[in-house]
């Protein structure tokens, strides 16, 4: 086991914050942007993600508190809301152990590590994907559950958590523009630091003369999934009245980075999601706030337009480069890579059908998008559990009482929108979600909603003269 330079930094910060679990949550929110980096390299071929270090320290803190006899408010409600996720993790373990042997050799699947020169489908057999993918979902589930339980405590610094997430967003923007300068101008870029995870095959992608920017992520598609969530979160926070760290400025910068990634999926999510979010808010948000947002967006778009005009004058070939990107994006449906992704999705669906809806075992086949990946690996039971989890979380947040200015409400608005954006992008271009950052965002939303219910219940009981210490949620 070897620690990377980035790993040494995050391990040091994690140990320093070991007694302050809220700081560990913030470290995960910032460290989660280093998607392609490893904190530790185990056996030369497996990298422990950077954000996993503070996440495991947080989980260890909560377990230690339970061992010492501490109990958290609302833990029963958290468990009930996240029960489908626990069942999904259990099903992943069972299916990975049983189904590859049960259906081995009789079903064609798309391998997790296809031959880069001649990628083809192979007969189903047990491989390393069954271990690594199962390990990811089990670990992320445990971390998410324990983090949600911790976040039901009083005096959680919700505002600081939102600020940590926005800070991570600004860091991604800086790294994306730095990546662009390195690809076009030869500027030094810390690629060895950011792409140190041996589990990922990092390849620089181009559309003709135009580089596809990926920032600190393993590929442009992964960057697009993160930016989809970040853009939705920024707009949601601005609608809710959040002003610190200037979410509207970050929104514009994130959209620019999405353009640099040339991700058709990401741009489609933003083109559909941002107007829908504004439309949904039109009937509920303060009219003056929406007008201020519109004015701010107008100023930022005008400034961006002026910057583009200057670039066009300074770089005469820029319109031609833009034309190459647009043409390549429109022709993606006819490309070999698109055909390969479609084939992977088709094989996953056919595998689910061939197994009577059970799937071929967690981690056995790779898809191009989320739903075929869940169906191919986890079958119909896996998809039903995911849908039930979404329903539980949505119902919990919609029923959460409390004023609009409550700090936990901002956390629900911001991280709930981030989850929505990431899921929307993953439905099109991600085989699965293994980043611990996503699962921590889920924990924040659940914990904040339960905290709002706890505060409302305590206020109600105190109004009737019942001691606050006797208040619990069931």
């Amino acid at each position: 086991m070897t620690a990377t330079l980035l790993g040494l930094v995050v391990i040091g910060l994690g140990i320093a914050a070991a007694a302050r679990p809220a700081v560990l949550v913030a470290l995960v929110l910032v460290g989660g942007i280093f998607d392609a980096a490893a904190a530790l390299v185990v056996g030369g071929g497996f990298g422990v993600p950077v954000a996993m270090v503070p996440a495991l320290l947080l989980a260890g803190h909560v377990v230690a508190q339970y061992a010492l006899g501490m109990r958290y408010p609302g833990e029963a409600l958290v468990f009930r809301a996240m029960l489908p996720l626990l069942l999904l993790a259990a099903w992943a373990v069972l299916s990975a152990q049983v189904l590859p042997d049960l259906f081995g050799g009789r079903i064609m699947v798309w391998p997790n590590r296809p031959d880069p020169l001649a990628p083809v489908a192979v007969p189903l057999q047990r491989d390393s994907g069954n271990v690594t993918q199962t390990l990811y979902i089990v670990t992320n589930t445990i971390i998410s559950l324990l983090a949600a339980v911790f976040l039901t405590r009083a005096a959680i610094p919700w505002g600081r958590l939102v600020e940590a997430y926005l800070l991570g967003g600004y860091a991604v923007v800086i790294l994306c523009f730095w990546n662009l300068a390195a690809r076009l101008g030869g500027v030094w870029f810390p690629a060895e630091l950011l792409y140190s995870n041996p589990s990922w095959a990092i390849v620089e992608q181009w559309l003709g003369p135009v580089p596809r920017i990926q920032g600190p992520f393993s590929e442009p598609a992964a960057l697009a999934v993160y930016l989809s969530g970040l853009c939705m979160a920024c707009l949601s926070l601005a609608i809710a009245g959040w002003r610190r760290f200037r979410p509207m400025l970050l929104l514009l910068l994130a959209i620019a980075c999405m353009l640099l990634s040339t991700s058709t999926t990401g741009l489609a999510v933003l083109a559909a999601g941002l107007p829908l979010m504004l439309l949904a808010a039109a009937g509920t948000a303060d009219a003056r706030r929406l007008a201020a947002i519109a004015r701010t967006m107008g100023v930022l778009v005008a400034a961006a337009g002026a910057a583009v005009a200057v670039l066009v004058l300074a770089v005469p070939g820029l319109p031609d480069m833009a034309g190459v990107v647009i043409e390549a994006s429109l022709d993606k449906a006819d490309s070999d890579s698109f055909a390969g992704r479609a084939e992977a999705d088709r094989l996953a669906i056919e595998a689910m059908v061939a197994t009577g809806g059970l799937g071929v075992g967690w981690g056995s086949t790779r898809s191009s998008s989320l739903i075929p990946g869940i169906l191919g690996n986890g079958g119909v039971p896996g998809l039903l559990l995911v849908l039930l989890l979404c329903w539980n979380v949505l119902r919990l947040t919609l029923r959460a009482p409390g004023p609009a200015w409550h700090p936990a409400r901002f956390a629900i608005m911001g991280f709930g929108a981030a989850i929505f954006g990431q899921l929307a992008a993953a439905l099109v271009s991600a085989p699965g979600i293994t980043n611990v950052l996503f699962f921590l965002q889920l924990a924040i939303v659940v914990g904040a909603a339960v905290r709002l219910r706890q505060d409302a219940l305590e206020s109600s009981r105190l109004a009737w003269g019942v001691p606050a210490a006797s208040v619990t949620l069931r």
Side-chain angles (χ1 to χ4, degrees):
M1 181 184 297
T2 305
T4 65
L5 179 59
L6 196 56
L8 291 175
V9 173
V10 75
I11 290 171
L13 292 174
I15 293 175
R20 294 179 291 171
V23 178
L24 292 174
V25 176
L27 280 176
V28 178
L29 292 172
V30 176
I33 69 172
F34 299 105
D35 182 68
L40 299 169
V41 178
V42 182
F46 179 76
V48 178
V50 171
M52 189 63 70
V53 173
L56 290 174
L57 289 172
L58 173 64
H61 175 88
V62 178
V63 170
Q65 292 294 306
Y66 266 103
L68 293 173
M70 182 175 177
R71 294 297 179 264
Y72 292 86
E75 56 190 21
L77 189 57
V78 168
F79 180 83
R80 192 155 59 240
M82 303 187 73
L83 180 60
L85 182 59
L86 293 172
L87 294 176
L88 178 63
W91 171 243
V93 173
L94 179 63
S95 65
Q97 291 296 316
V98 175
L99 299 183
D101 295 331
L102 182 63
F103 300 109
R106 292 186 283 156
I107 297 174
M108 301 299 290
V109 297
W110 196 261
N112 283 283
R113 294 181 178 273
D115 187 338
L117 298 179
V120 293
V122 298
L124 171 64
Q125 62 179 350
R126 183 180 299 281
D127 64 12
S128 60
N130 298 116
V131 177
T132 57
Q133 296 303 311
T134 302
L135 184 61
Y136 275 131
I137 190 171
V138 170
T139 304
N140 287 331
T141 296
I142 294 172
I143 290 171
S144 185
L145 176 65
L146 293 176
V149 168
F150 162 74
L151 290 166
T152 62
R153 292 182 57 184
I156 294 294
W158 300 108
R160 294 299 177 89
L161 299 185
V162 174
E163 290 173 355
Y165 178 64
L166 296 179
L167 178 63
Y170 277 108
V172 169
V173 166
I174 292 172
L175 289 171
C176 284
F177 284 109
W178 192 356
N179 192 195
L180 177 66
R183 299 279 292 274
L184 291 180
V187 176
W188 176 79
F189 184 71
E192 292 185 0
L193 183 71
L194 297 177
Y195 307 140
S196 57
N197 196 327
S199 302
W200 296 107
I202 308 298
V203 179
E204 292 186 347
Q205 300 180 20
W206 296 77
L207 288 178
V210 181
R212 299 193 66 197
I213 301 305
Q214 60 201 62
F217 290 82
S218 58
E219 59 179 347
L223 172 64
V225 172
Y226 174 84
L227 291 177
S228 296
L230 180 64
C231 289
M232 296 296 182
C234 287
L235 182 56
S236 180
L237 287 169
I239 292 172
W242 184 272
R243 292 294 176 264
R244 295 195 297 273
F245 278 62
R246 298 185 179 274
M248 291 305 299
L249 174 61
L250 181 55
L251 172 62
L252 181 66
L253 293 173
I255 291 174
C257 291
M258 188 74 84
L259 291 170
L260 293 176
S261 76
T262 70
S263 170
T264 307
T265 298
L267 293 173
V269 169
L270 298 188
L274 296 180
L276 285 176
M277 187 173 292
L278 286 171
L279 185 62
T284 57
D286 185 273
R288 289 176 298 179
R289 187 178 298 158
L290 289 176
I293 291 172
R295 288 194 299 271
T296 303
M297 290 187 69
V299 172
L300 293 175
V301 169
V308 170
V310 171
L311 285 174
V312 169
L313 294 175
V315 185
L318 188 61
D320 294 334
M321 297 173 67
V324 171
V325 173
I326 294 173
E327 183 179 357
S329 299
L330 294 176
D331 292 341
K332 276 187 177 180
D334 299 324
S335 65
D336 292 338
S337 62
F338 182 86
R341 293 194 297 271
E343 175 70 6
D345 283 348
R346 182 186 67 82
L347 286 171
I349 297 296
E350 289 183 352
M352 181 273 296
V353 174
T355 58
L358 292 176
V360 291
W362 205 260
S364 293
T365 186
R366 184 177 177 86
S367 66
S368 172
S369 50
L370 187 60
I371 297 299
I374 294 174
L375 287 172
N377 290 287
V380 175
L383 181 60
L384 291 178
L385 289 171
V386 170
L387 294 175
L388 182 57
L389 173 66
C390 294
W391 169 251
N392 280 0
V393 174
L394 181 62
R395 183 176 60 175
L396 181 65
T397 55
L398 291 177
R399 291 182 176 181
W405 47 261
H406 195 293
R409 183 72 64 186
F410 287 106
I412 292 175
M413 292 286 288
F415 291 108
I419 290 172
F420 168 76
Q422 291 170 86
L423 281 176
L427 287 175
V428 181
S429 64
I433 299 177
T434 59
N435 193 328
V436 69
L437 174 60
F438 176 87
F439 290 87
L440 183 69
Q441 291 170 347
L442 175 64
I444 292 174
V445 171
V446 172
V450 173
R451 185 65 243 174
L452 286 172
R453 292 191 62 174
Q454 182 76 3
D455 286 349
L457 185 58
E458 288 179 359
S459 299
S460 176
R461 295 288 181 87
L462 287 174
W464 289 92
V466 180
S470 67
V471 178
T472 56
L473 281 179
R474 299 295 178 191

